[in-house]
Amino acid sequence: MLDAPGAVGALTEDAAPTVALHYGEPIPEQRRLASGALVDRSDREIIAVTGDARLEWLHSLTSQHLLHLGTAGTETLLLSPHGHVERHVMVTDDGTTTWLDVAAGHGAPLAEFLLKMRFFTPVEIEDVTAEWALITTTGETALAAPDLLPVPGPKFASADLPVRPTVRYAVEAGPDGWSRRTDELGVPTVDRLVRRDTVRELADELGLPLAGTWAHDALRVAAGRPSSADFDHKTIPHEIPLLATAVHLDKGCYRGQETVARVHNLGRPPRTLVLLHLDGSEEHLPAAGTEIVSGGRTVGVLGTAVRHYELGPIALGLLRRNIAEKDDAEISVGGMNASVDR
């Protein structure tokens, strides 16, 4: 959709833009997305896994319960041997193929890892990003999708929550792709996997106004939904809300499972993901990875920072738990004063 009127893509030194940050109206696009719009998310990378043993094999590698998933979708985490989050993966199965979609730049490493772990398992792994693309729609198109299954927990989940349902997303599969209804943006939302060469045709057919990825990020952050930019190599699942939706706490062994069980049963995670309100005193919002400071000490790391159409400058941040729980804590990030949303 980069050839759509007003499209502005991200400029980088080593790659051309693939999706539009906005179409000339970043704030109005958020309002449209909250009621009904289309976001080109074709920068997400798609891995297809086929073979009769695909779900059993993926079940053994990841944090989610994937056996007997059927025509439903969920999400899962790939953890390091020490329980740190390496990949956050959306999972959809259409009965013959399990589709894994991940953030830009994570597809090749994921495919490489899966190939290394295949051994003699009769599965095939293929990076199909060049052929398939993900788009997201909101509004009436979402309401027409399959019924949303119950989604548990508050916006920011705690490690004390009980075992979660395996399935979070209802999926409708067809010969030309699938649609997956989610609550990722805090509004009725449908992710659609379509053939890449049909994205523009589908956008015209749906007739929805366009919104850029900035708008998507703004609603996602306000809903407390982390992306790969919102956690670092030290993050364990208990520090982010994905523990409630991407980790099954009553399944067999998988890589990193010992840490998940130990922290859940015996301890409290050292950090927690919070929604921060920024004072907006600086022209530019701080970048992901900026240190969060309190009392002259680093107490956390910033994730995605956005300008929300109602809440103003906000961000997700991984904050030391004792600071996050302290009502009078004075914190700053990138030269801006910040406060924890309560």
Side-chain angles (χ1 to χ4, degrees), residues 6 25 43 60 124-125 127 141 154 156 163 196 217 264 286 342:
E25 298 180 306
D43 59 333
S60 70
E124 297 297 327
I125 301 121
D127 187 333
T141 54
F156 292 94
V163 174
R196 187 168 290 270
D217 279 341
H264 178 71
R342 301 189 187 280

Side-chain angles (χ1 to χ4, degrees), residues 41 44 75 88 90 134 136 148 168-169 180-189 191 216 219-227:
R41 299 177 66 205
R44 286 189 66 83
E75 57 190 318
H88 172 221
M90 303 298 294
L134 192 74
T136 292
L148 181 63
R168 184 167 187 242
Y169 304 97
R180 172 183 65 206
R181 184 172 173 181
T182 84
D183 71 333
E184 187 173 32
L185 302 181
V187 298
T189 304
D191 292 338
H216 187 276
L219 269 62
R220 174 182 62 78
V221 170
R225 175 73 176 180
S227 74

Side-chain angles (χ1 to χ4, degrees), residues 1 40 133 135 194-204:
M1 302 300 294
D40 175 11
I135 64 171
V194 299
R195 295 192 180 278
R196 187 168 290 270
D197 57 5
T198 68
V199 169
R200 188 57 184 268
E201 177 184 347
L202 178 60
D204 292 341

Side-chain angles (χ1 to χ4, degrees), residues 31-53:
R31 296 183 182 276
R32 294 170 196 150
L33 188 59
S35 58
L38 180 147
V39 184
D40 175 11
R41 299 177 66 205
S42 57
D43 59 333
R44 286 189 66 83
E45 298 176 356
I46 315 296
I47 306 298
V49 183
T50 54
D52 291 342

